[in-house]
């Protein structure tokens, strides 16, 4: 879902984590895979304990389970689901954040199996709650266009890439495994 951080940290020389290990195939229905390392994926606590629970993504269909498992080479959530912002009514004043109630989040799913994941994990509702990040990115993208970034770089004596990083923070998000990585990618690289 990318709504919670999934990360590791060191405390008193001991490595700790801030995520659950989720069974892709539920250990109750698939006990032989209960301890298989290929059946574990990092998961935020909300998705693992409160939403997915004992359900197996893909139901009882082995081909769907394989395709929807994040450990599978066939898994392609980024390619099958696009996240966007939809205008619900005409904005009253310029700026996305100023008109937060005029927008809603939308998920365009190419494959129905991925549509089931979006529904099961309540991603529309959860991203709708956090749409402020999407609107903030849209405001940044509108303020700092491909035409203004070279001018800012020249004025500051920085490279264009450094100016983009300072404004949008894409490398920071990627390097630090911050949440909303896919949302940022879909909005800033349509």
């Amino acid at each position: 879902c990318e709504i919670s951080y999934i990360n590791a940290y060191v405390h008193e020389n001991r490595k700790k984590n801030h995520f659950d290990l989720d069974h892709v195939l539920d250990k109750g229905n698939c006990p032989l895979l209960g301890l298989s390392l290929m059946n574990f994926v990092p998961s935020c606590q909300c998705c693992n304990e409160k939403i997915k629970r004992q359900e197996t993504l893909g139901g009882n269909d082995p081909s769907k389970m394989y395709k929807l498992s994040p450990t599978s080479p066939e898994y392609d959530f980024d390619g099958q689901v696009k996240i966007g912002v939809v205008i619900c009514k005409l904005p009253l004043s310029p700026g996305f954040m100023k008109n937060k109630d005029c927008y809603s989040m939308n998920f365009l799913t190419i494959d129905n199996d991925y549509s089931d994941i979006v529904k099961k994990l309540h991603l529309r509702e959860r991203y709708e709650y956090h749409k402020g990040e999407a609107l903030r990115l849209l405001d940044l993208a509108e303020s700092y266009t491909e035409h203004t970034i070279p001018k800012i770089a020249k004025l500051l004596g920085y490279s264009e890439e450094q100016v983009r990083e300072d404004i949008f923070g894409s490398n920071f998000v990627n390097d630090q495994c911050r949440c909303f990585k896919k949302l940022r990618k879909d909005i800033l690289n349509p």
Side-chain angles (χ1 to χ4, degrees), residues 129-142:
Y129 180 77
H130 293 285
K131 72 181 169 187
E133 176 65 8
L135 298 178
R136 184 185 74 79
L137 290 171
L138 287 168
D139 275 339
L140 284 174
E142 191 172 86

Side-chain angles (χ1 to χ4, degrees), residues 84-98:
V85 178
V86 178
I87 300 173
C88 301
K89 57 185 176 180
L90 290 177
L92 304 173
S93 60
F96 294 99
M97 285 296 287
K98 291 179 185 174

Side-chain angles (χ1 to χ4, degrees), residues 34-46:
L35 295 176
S36 169
L37 293 179
M38 296 304 292
N39 193 34
F40 290 117
V41 291
S43 173
C44 72
Q45 206 168 30
C46 183

Side-chain angles (χ1 to χ4, degrees), residues 25-173:
L25 300 176
D26 172 49
K27 61 184 179 258
N29 294 322
C30 306
L32 295 176
L33 296 174
L35 295 176
S36 169
L37 293 179
M38 296 304 292
N39 193 34
F40 290 117
V41 291
S43 173
C44 72
Q45 206 168 30
C46 183
C47 283
N48 188 24
E49 293 180 10
K50 297 179 180 175
I51 296 177
K52 182 183 163 280
R53 297 185 185 173
Q54 302 297 319
E55 294 184 53
T56 299
L57 298 176
N60 293 324
D61 183 340
S63 64
K64 283 185 183 181
M65 287 189 280
Y66 182 72
K67 179 172 73 173
L68 299 177
S69 169
T71 59
S72 165
E74 289 187 23
Y75 183 75
D76 186 27
F77 189 82
D78 276 2
Q80 298 298 318
V81 180
K82 298 296 176 199
I83 305 170
V85 178
V86 178
I87 300 173
C88 301
K89 57 185 176 180
L90 290 177
L92 304 173
S93 60
F96 294 99
M97 285 296 287
K98 291 179 185 174
N99 297 287
K100 192 174 182 177
D101 295 335
C102 297
Y103 304 98
S104 66
M105 299 300 294
N106 190 29
F107 286 73
L108 172 64
T109 53
I110 299 165
D111 183 317
N112 284 339
D113 294 333
Y114 289 92
S115 180
D116 291 343
I117 289 177
V118 170
K119 288 178 192 168
K120 187 173 286 189
L121 297 179
H122 304 282
L123 295 183
R124 277 187 178 85
E125 296 85 352
R126 294 165 75 191
Y127 272 80
E128 180 66 28
Y129 180 77
H130 293 285
K131 72 181 169 187
E133 176 65 8
L135 298 178
R136 184 185 74 79
L137 290 171
L138 287 168
D139 275 339
L140 284 174
E142 191 172 86
S143 297
Y144 301 100
T145 66
E146 289 302 311
H147 300 296
T148 59
I149 289 177
K151 294 175 186 175
I152 294 170
K154 185 176 180 182
L155 180 69
L156 296 174
Y158 290 168
S159 69
E160 290 181 29
E161 186 57 40
Q162 181 60 49
V163 171
R164 277 190 198 83
E165 177 59 24
D166 289 346
I167 294 170
F168 301 113
S170 299
N171 291 336
F172 173 76
V173 168

